[in-house]
Amino acid sequence: MVLPIEEYTYVSTRLRYLRAASQSLPAFKPDGRGALYIADQPALATQAFTDLLTKFNAVNLSDGAMRTAHAAGHDAAVAVYACMKSCYRKDPGCAKGIRTLPKGDKTPEKTFARMKALATLWDSLPNLPVINTPLEVGEITAGVLGSMASDLDGKLNTAKVTSSQYSSAVAVFQGKLAAWDNFVSAAAIQGRVLYKPGTAERAHIDRIPTAPATQPPAQTEFTKAENPAAGIVQLEFNAAHATSFKVFHKGPGEAAFAEVADILLPGQYTATGLAAGAHEYKVAGVNSRGTGPESSVASVNVAQAAAA
């Protein structure tokens, strides 16, 4: 099963840029939709993707459970067949029935059929000669093998159901993505009509991505990292092909970096209320193809804590 991450990331990013443009341009109402409606769309896209991811995880879990039952069932069938064939080799009638049992089970469906055939024949076999007891293969009896077959059958059916549900959910999700994508494209066209090239208003429209990325972002580079005032850090950065950026921070005395922001173009980030000391930052560019290499670490010394 394939998760449409690239398609989601692209459309979600477009919605975020449209939201930013709408918040900066009160008069901009594409298709008559105001800022409140547009502001809701990125979260709705995220929720739709989260719902799809839940079904995707269900597919993987059920498939894993089915494969585990399949492997156990196949191993049991092989062991039982070998013992059964050896133990009843001197009984012509039993030996003939055993030789006709299905083998070569490479799929879960064929393994289930083999197990059922083995368990059914096993129930009709006489007790073993000399010791006059039913055949047992380690801890496996005819009843145990039958239960294993039923377990595999149940897990196989569950895997098929979850797979079908996920396929249907993907189709619905892609329909939603297409509708969002169409809305953003229409909004961008209307924005380019309203605002002239070179204006600050038009810059908000022109930042909206117009096509999915063809390659991952390059490594992010800092162009500014400074402490302009007490408790404040200002960063500027860029990376070829990036449509957004993840900002990571490690404060004085902290052992590891933590993500603190997800920034759109232009790549600018301001932190306030920082404690005095050395603050380290890393940034990675993001687009629909994935996350690019992290930048080198930029260290900014905040000489004075912000006033309380």
Side-chain angles (χ1 to χ4, degrees), residues 137-151:
V137 182
E139 297 181 352
I140 303 175
T141 64
V144 169
L145 187 65
S147 295
M148 291 178 69
S150 297
D151 180 61

Side-chain angles (χ1 to χ4, degrees), residues 196-218:
K196 294 181 179 180
T199 63
E201 292 83 0
R202 178 63 173 267
H204 291 290
I205 303 300
D206 289 341
R207 291 192 188 106
I208 300 173
T210 57
T214 58
Q215 55 186 303

Side-chain angles (χ1 to χ4, degrees), residues 66-144:
M66 181 270 293
R67 290 180 183 278
T68 298
H70 174 212
H74 172 76
D75 290 346
V78 170
V80 168
Y81 177 77
C83 287
M84 191 179 285
K85 185 178 178 182
S86 176
C87 290
Y88 291 95
R89 68 188 184 281
K90 295 183 180 180
D91 185 321
C94 292
K96 181 178 180 181
I98 293 168
R99 286 195 301 270
T100 62
L101 288 167
K103 298 177 285 295
D105 54 315
K106 295 184 178 181
T107 67
E109 292 83 358
K110 287 185 177 181
T111 294
F112 168 70
R114 181 180 184 180
M115 294 170 73
K116 288 293 288 184
L118 273 167
T120 300
L121 178 61
W122 198 341
D123 283 332
S124 64
L125 291 175
N127 287 346
L128 291 171
V130 182
I131 59 176
N132 194 33
T133 60
L135 173 68
E136 292 183 2
V137 182
E139 297 181 352
I140 303 175
T141 64
V144 169

Side-chain angles (χ1 to χ4, degrees), residues 169-226:
V170 168
V172 172
F173 179 69
Q174 289 177 329
K176 291 180 178 180
L177 288 183
W180 277 313
D181 195 45
N182 179 268
F183 174 59
V184 177
S185 294
I189 291 172
Q190 294 167 39
R192 287 192 289 270
V193 171
L194 287 172
Y195 306 110
K196 294 181 179 180
T199 63
E201 292 83 0
R202 178 63 173 267
H204 291 290
I205 303 300
D206 289 341
R207 291 192 188 106
I208 300 173
T210 57
T214 58
Q215 55 186 303
Q219 185 175 24
T220 302
E221 296 181 355
F222 285 100
T223 57
K224 179 179 180 180
E226 62 183 27

